[in-house]
Amino acid sequence: WGVMAALMRRHGAYVHVSSNLHPANKTIGSCSRDGYSPSTGNIPYYTGRTQTSEYAITVGAIHRLSRLLNIFEGVGYGSQTTAWQLADSEGGGWLRNENLSHKGFAAELGVVASIGRFCFSASALTIAGKQWQGCIGVGICLGKTGVIIKRK
């Protein structure tokens, strides 16, 4: 889920905020990609439940290429936390998977197509260059949709 707002003529600025709307569970430790837990020195038993919490905010420039097509690029901050649930025999709780969790610098590149008052967007977003995701969207243009040129 997310919201993107842009203000532009030929060039302009945008802000994009996105999230999966899942809060991060409180974790009691960490584990690696294969489940190894350094605090216990072994691979504990898991329930198979996984919880992922992610959000990103990017700001940047947007440029009109034609009446219908715009391109945008931006930078910001993002976070993705993946936690695995321990089995009851291991004491329960959640372990943060360090190899599947990333936070830090975010970058985004995408396009927006405007057809009448409707906008369609597609972009690629990365968090720390380690986690990549695609974003698609449908929106409504609130301002002018065309350029009016006065000729003498």
Side-chain angles (χ1 to χ4, degrees), residues 8-28:
M8 66 180 291
R9 289 183 187 245
R10 175 119 174 100
H11 302 283
Y14 83 95
V15 61
H16 181 203
V17 179
S18 62
S19 171
N20 70 349
L21 301 179
H22 292 278
N25 288 326
K26 184 176 180 183
T27 58
I28 59 171

PDB file of all heavy atoms in Angstrom, residues 8-28:
ATOM      1  N   MET A   8       4.178  19.217 -10.675  1.00  0.00           N
ATOM      2  CA  MET A   8       5.079  19.435 -11.799  1.00  0.00           C
ATOM      3  C   MET A   8       4.434  20.249 -12.905  1.00  0.00           C
ATOM      4  O   MET A   8       3.222  20.369 -12.972  1.00  0.00           O
ATOM      5  CB  MET A   8       5.544  18.100 -12.369  1.00  0.00           C
ATOM      6  CG  MET A   8       4.444  17.280 -13.008  1.00  0.00           C
ATOM      7  SD  MET A   8       5.000  15.718 -13.677  1.00  0.00           S
ATOM      8  CE  MET A   8       5.983  16.246 -15.033  1.00  0.00           C
ATOM      9  N   ARG A   9       5.280  20.784 -13.750  1.00  0.00           N
ATOM     10  CA  ARG A   9       4.916  21.327 -15.056  1.00  0.00           C
ATOM     11  C   ARG A   9       5.690  20.481 -16.054  1.00  0.00           C
ATOM     12  O   ARG A   9       5.274  19.396 -16.381  1.00  0.00           O
ATOM     13  CB  ARG A   9       5.249  22.799 -15.153  1.00  0.00           C
ATOM     14  CG  ARG A   9       4.330  23.656 -14.296  1.00  0.00           C
ATOM     15  CD  ARG A   9       4.631  25.112 -14.471  1.00  0.00           C
ATOM     16  NE  ARG A   9       3.858  25.888 -13.521  1.00  0.00           N
ATOM     17  CZ  ARG A   9       2.923  26.728 -13.870  1.00  0.00           C
ATOM     18  NH1 ARG A   9       2.647  26.915 -15.139  1.00  0.00           N
ATOM     19  NH2 ARG A   9       2.271  27.401 -12.964  1.00  0.00           N
ATOM     20  N   ARG A  10       6.850  20.962 -16.500  1.00  0.00           N
ATOM     21  CA  ARG A  10       7.717  20.121 -17.330  1.00  0.00           C
ATOM     22  C   ARG A  10       8.587  19.252 -16.429  1.00  0.00           C
ATOM     23  O   ARG A  10       8.848  18.098 -16.710  1.00  0.00           O
ATOM     24  CB  ARG A  10       8.579  20.996 -18.233  1.00  0.00           C
ATOM     25  CG  ARG A  10       9.587  20.219 -19.021  1.00  0.00           C
ATOM     26  CD  ARG A  10       9.377  20.354 -20.518  1.00  0.00           C
ATOM     27  NE  ARG A  10      10.441  19.715 -21.247  1.00  0.00           N
ATOM     28  CZ  ARG A  10      10.351  18.514 -21.791  1.00  0.00           C
ATOM     29  NH1 ARG A  10       9.236  17.836 -21.669  1.00  0.00           N
ATOM     30  NH2 ARG A  10      11.342  17.991 -22.453  1.00  0.00           N
ATOM     31  N   HIS A  11       9.058  19.824 -15.335  1.00  0.00           N
ATOM     32  CA  HIS A  11       9.830  19.120 -14.317  1.00  0.00           C
ATOM     33  C   HIS A  11       9.188  19.423 -12.973  1.00  0.00           C
ATOM     34  O   HIS A  11       8.530  20.441 -12.807  1.00  0.00           O
ATOM     35  CB  HIS A  11      11.300  19.589 -14.308  1.00  0.00           C
ATOM     36  CG  HIS A  11      11.984  19.411 -15.621  1.00  0.00           C
ATOM     37  ND1 HIS A  11      12.433  18.188 -16.055  1.00  0.00           N
ATOM     38  CD2 HIS A  11      12.283  20.303 -16.600  1.00  0.00           C
ATOM     39  CE1 HIS A  11      12.987  18.328 -17.240  1.00  0.00           C
ATOM     40  NE2 HIS A  11      12.906  19.607 -17.606  1.00  0.00           N
ATOM     41  N   GLY A  12       9.398  18.543 -12.007  1.00  0.00           N
ATOM     42  CA  GLY A  12       8.810  18.777 -10.702  1.00  0.00           C
ATOM     43  C   GLY A  12       9.382  17.836  -9.660  1.00  0.00           C
ATOM     44  O   GLY A  12      10.443  17.240  -9.851  1.00  0.00           O
ATOM     45  N   ALA A  13       8.658  17.701  -8.574  1.00  0.00           N
ATOM     46  CA  ALA A  13       9.103  16.871  -7.454  1.00  0.00           C
ATOM     47  C   ALA A  13       7.986  15.915  -7.054  1.00  0.00           C
ATOM     48  O   ALA A  13       6.808  16.175  -7.299  1.00  0.00           O
ATOM     49  CB  ALA A  13       9.490  17.749  -6.278  1.00  0.00           C
ATOM     50  N   TYR A  14       8.382  14.803  -6.448  1.00  0.00           N
ATOM     51  CA  TYR A  14       7.397  13.835  -5.978  1.00  0.00           C
ATOM     52  C   TYR A  14       7.839  13.288  -4.618  1.00  0.00           C
ATOM     53  O   TYR A  14       8.996  13.366  -4.232  1.00  0.00           O
ATOM     54  CB  TYR A  14       7.224  12.685  -6.981  1.00  0.00           C
ATOM     55  CG  TYR A  14       8.258  11.591  -6.837  1.00  0.00           C
ATOM     56  CD1 TYR A  14       7.993  10.459  -6.073  1.00  0.00           C
ATOM     57  CD2 TYR A  14       9.511  11.695  -7.427  1.00  0.00           C
ATOM     58  CE1 TYR A  14       8.936   9.457  -5.923  1.00  0.00           C
ATOM     59  CE2 TYR A  14      10.457  10.702  -7.287  1.00  0.00           C
ATOM     60  CZ  TYR A  14      10.169   9.582  -6.534  1.00  0.00           C
ATOM     61  OH  TYR A  14      11.101   8.601  -6.379  1.00  0.00           O
ATOM     62  N   VAL A  15       6.886  12.716  -3.915  1.00  0.00           N
ATOM     63  CA  VAL A  15       7.144  11.970  -2.685  1.00  0.00           C
ATOM     64  C   VAL A  15       6.319  10.686  -2.768  1.00  0.00           C
ATOM     65  O   VAL A  15       5.178  10.695  -3.232  1.00  0.00           O
ATOM     66  CB  VAL A  15       6.811  12.790  -1.409  1.00  0.00           C
ATOM     67  CG1 VAL A  15       5.348  13.178  -1.360  1.00  0.00           C
ATOM     68  CG2 VAL A  15       7.203  12.031  -0.157  1.00  0.00           C
ATOM     69  N   HIS A  16       6.922   9.570  -2.371  1.00  0.00           N
ATOM     70  CA  HIS A  16       6.257   8.270  -2.423  1.00  0.00           C
ATOM     71  C   HIS A  16       6.481   7.567  -1.089  1.00  0.00           C
ATOM     72  O   HIS A  16       7.621   7.384  -0.666  1.00  0.00           O
ATOM     73  CB  HIS A  16       6.839   7.443  -3.573  1.00  0.00           C
ATOM     74  CG  HIS A  16       6.202   6.097  -3.728  1.00  0.00           C
ATOM     75  ND1 HIS A  16       6.835   5.054  -4.353  1.00  0.00           N
ATOM     76  CD2 HIS A  16       4.998   5.612  -3.354  1.00  0.00           C
ATOM     77  CE1 HIS A  16       6.043   3.992  -4.358  1.00  0.00           C
ATOM     78  NE2 HIS A  16       4.927   4.309  -3.752  1.00  0.00           N
ATOM     79  N   VAL A  17       5.406   7.197  -0.438  1.00  0.00           N
ATOM     80  CA  VAL A  17       5.455   6.471   0.830  1.00  0.00           C
ATOM     81  C   VAL A  17       4.736   5.147   0.625  1.00  0.00           C
ATOM     82  O   VAL A  17       3.609   5.120   0.122  1.00  0.00           O
ATOM     83  CB  VAL A  17       4.764   7.274   1.959  1.00  0.00           C
ATOM     84  CG1 VAL A  17       4.790   6.506   3.262  1.00  0.00           C
ATOM     85  CG2 VAL A  17       5.401   8.645   2.124  1.00  0.00           C
ATOM     86  N   SER A  18       5.395   4.043   0.991  1.00  0.00           N
ATOM     87  CA  SER A  18       4.765   2.733   0.831  1.00  0.00           C
ATOM     88  C   SER A  18       5.048   1.854   2.045  1.00  0.00           C
ATOM     89  O   SER A  18       6.052   2.028   2.729  1.00  0.00           O
ATOM     90  CB  SER A  18       5.269   2.040  -0.442  1.00  0.00           C
ATOM     91  OG  SER A  18       6.654   1.817  -0.365  1.00  0.00           O
ATOM     92  N   SER A  19       4.137   0.922   2.289  1.00  0.00           N
ATOM     93  CA  SER A  19       4.250   0.006   3.424  1.00  0.00           C
ATOM     94  C   SER A  19       3.387  -1.218   3.156  1.00  0.00           C
ATOM     95  O   SER A  19       2.428  -1.149   2.391  1.00  0.00           O
ATOM     96  CB  SER A  19       3.773   0.704   4.702  1.00  0.00           C
ATOM     97  OG  SER A  19       3.670  -0.216   5.769  1.00  0.00           O
ATOM     98  N   ASN A  20       3.717  -2.336   3.808  1.00  0.00           N
ATOM     99  CA  ASN A  20       2.835  -3.496   3.709  1.00  0.00           C
ATOM    100  C   ASN A  20       1.820  -3.518   4.861  1.00  0.00           C
ATOM    101  O   ASN A  20       1.050  -4.464   4.988  1.00  0.00           O
ATOM    102  CB  ASN A  20       3.628  -4.795   3.646  1.00  0.00           C
ATOM    103  CG  ASN A  20       4.325  -5.162   4.933  1.00  0.00           C
ATOM    104  OD1 ASN A  20       4.414  -4.359   5.865  1.00  0.00           O
ATOM    105  ND2 ASN A  20       4.837  -6.375   5.003  1.00  0.00           N
ATOM    106  N   LEU A  21       1.843  -2.501   5.699  1.00  0.00           N
ATOM    107  CA  LEU A  21       0.886  -2.306   6.802  1.00  0.00           C
ATOM    108  C   LEU A  21       0.948  -3.399   7.869  1.00  0.00           C
ATOM    109  O   LEU A  21      -0.007  -3.599   8.612  1.00  0.00           O
ATOM    110  CB  LEU A  21      -0.544  -2.171   6.277  1.00  0.00           C
ATOM    111  CG  LEU A  21      -0.785  -1.019   5.292  1.00  0.00           C
ATOM    112  CD1 LEU A  21      -2.234  -1.017   4.832  1.00  0.00           C
ATOM    113  CD2 LEU A  21      -0.399   0.316   5.881  1.00  0.00           C
ATOM    114  N   HIS A  22       2.059  -4.124   7.942  1.00  0.00           N
ATOM    115  CA  HIS A  22       2.263  -5.125   8.982  1.00  0.00           C
ATOM    116  C   HIS A  22       3.312  -4.598   9.956  1.00  0.00           C
ATOM    117  O   HIS A  22       4.452  -4.374   9.556  1.00  0.00           O
ATOM    118  CB  HIS A  22       2.755  -6.451   8.406  1.00  0.00           C
ATOM    119  CG  HIS A  22       1.750  -7.163   7.576  1.00  0.00           C
ATOM    120  ND1 HIS A  22       0.753  -7.940   8.105  1.00  0.00           N
ATOM    121  CD2 HIS A  22       1.569  -7.211   6.235  1.00  0.00           C
ATOM    122  CE1 HIS A  22       0.014  -8.427   7.144  1.00  0.00           C
ATOM    123  NE2 HIS A  22       0.485  -8.000   5.988  1.00  0.00           N
ATOM    124  N   PRO A  23       2.963  -4.413  11.217  1.00  0.00           N
ATOM    125  CA  PRO A  23       3.982  -3.976  12.183  1.00  0.00           C
ATOM    126  C   PRO A  23       4.981  -5.101  12.453  1.00  0.00           C
ATOM    127  O   PRO A  23       4.639  -6.282  12.360  1.00  0.00           O
ATOM    128  CB  PRO A  23       3.175  -3.641  13.436  1.00  0.00           C
ATOM    129  CG  PRO A  23       1.937  -4.474  13.315  1.00  0.00           C
ATOM    130  CD  PRO A  23       1.658  -4.599  11.835  1.00  0.00           C
ATOM    131  N   ALA A  24       6.207  -4.727  12.757  1.00  0.00           N
ATOM    132  CA  ALA A  24       7.240  -5.720  13.064  1.00  0.00           C
ATOM    133  C   ALA A  24       6.956  -6.351  14.426  1.00  0.00           C
ATOM    134  O   ALA A  24       6.636  -5.656  15.387  1.00  0.00           O
ATOM    135  CB  ALA A  24       8.614  -5.072  13.064  1.00  0.00           C
ATOM    136  N   ASN A  25       7.056  -7.678  14.498  1.00  0.00           N
ATOM    137  CA  ASN A  25       6.892  -8.370  15.774  1.00  0.00           C
ATOM    138  C   ASN A  25       8.107  -8.111  16.651  1.00  0.00           C
ATOM    139  O   ASN A  25       9.223  -7.940  16.153  1.00  0.00           O
ATOM    140  CB  ASN A  25       6.757  -9.880  15.555  1.00  0.00           C
ATOM    141  CG  ASN A  25       5.431 -10.248  14.942  1.00  0.00           C
ATOM    142  OD1 ASN A  25       4.421  -9.613  15.209  1.00  0.00           O
ATOM    143  ND2 ASN A  25       5.427 -11.261  14.104  1.00  0.00           N
ATOM    144  N   LYS A  26       7.899  -8.132  17.947  1.00  0.00           N
ATOM    145  CA  LYS A  26       9.009  -7.993  18.873  1.00  0.00           C
ATOM    146  C   LYS A  26       9.843  -9.273  18.800  1.00  0.00           C
ATOM    147  O   LYS A  26       9.308 -10.376  18.914  1.00  0.00           O
ATOM    148  CB  LYS A  26       8.504  -7.770  20.294  1.00  0.00           C
ATOM    149  CG  LYS A  26       9.616  -7.534  21.276  1.00  0.00           C
ATOM    150  CD  LYS A  26       9.111  -7.218  22.655  1.00  0.00           C
ATOM    151  CE  LYS A  26      10.323  -7.000  23.533  1.00  0.00           C
ATOM    152  NZ  LYS A  26       9.981  -6.766  24.901  1.00  0.00           N
ATOM    153  N   THR A  27      11.134  -9.110  18.582  1.00  0.00           N
ATOM    154  CA  THR A  27      12.005 -10.278  18.448  1.00  0.00           C
ATOM    155  C   THR A  27      12.832 -10.481  19.713  1.00  0.00           C
ATOM    156  O   THR A  27      13.125  -9.530  20.430  1.00  0.00           O
ATOM    157  CB  THR A  27      12.941 -10.129  17.234  1.00  0.00           C
ATOM    158  OG1 THR A  27      13.715  -8.942  17.383  1.00  0.00           O
ATOM    159  CG2 THR A  27      12.148 -10.061  15.941  1.00  0.00           C
ATOM    160  N   ILE A  28      13.199 -11.746  19.956  1.00  0.00           N
ATOM    161  CA  ILE A  28      13.989 -12.075  21.143  1.00  0.00           C
ATOM    162  C   ILE A  28      15.420 -12.439  20.790  1.00  0.00           C
ATOM    163  O   ILE A  28      16.206 -12.792  21.658  1.00  0.00           O
ATOM    164  CB  ILE A  28      13.333 -13.219  21.947  1.00  0.00           C
ATOM    165  CG1 ILE A  28      13.198 -14.470  21.071  1.00  0.00           C
ATOM    166  CG2 ILE A  28      11.987 -12.780  22.500  1.00  0.00           C
ATOM    167  CD1 ILE A  28      12.753 -15.699  21.837  1.00  0.00           C
TER     168      ILE A  28
END
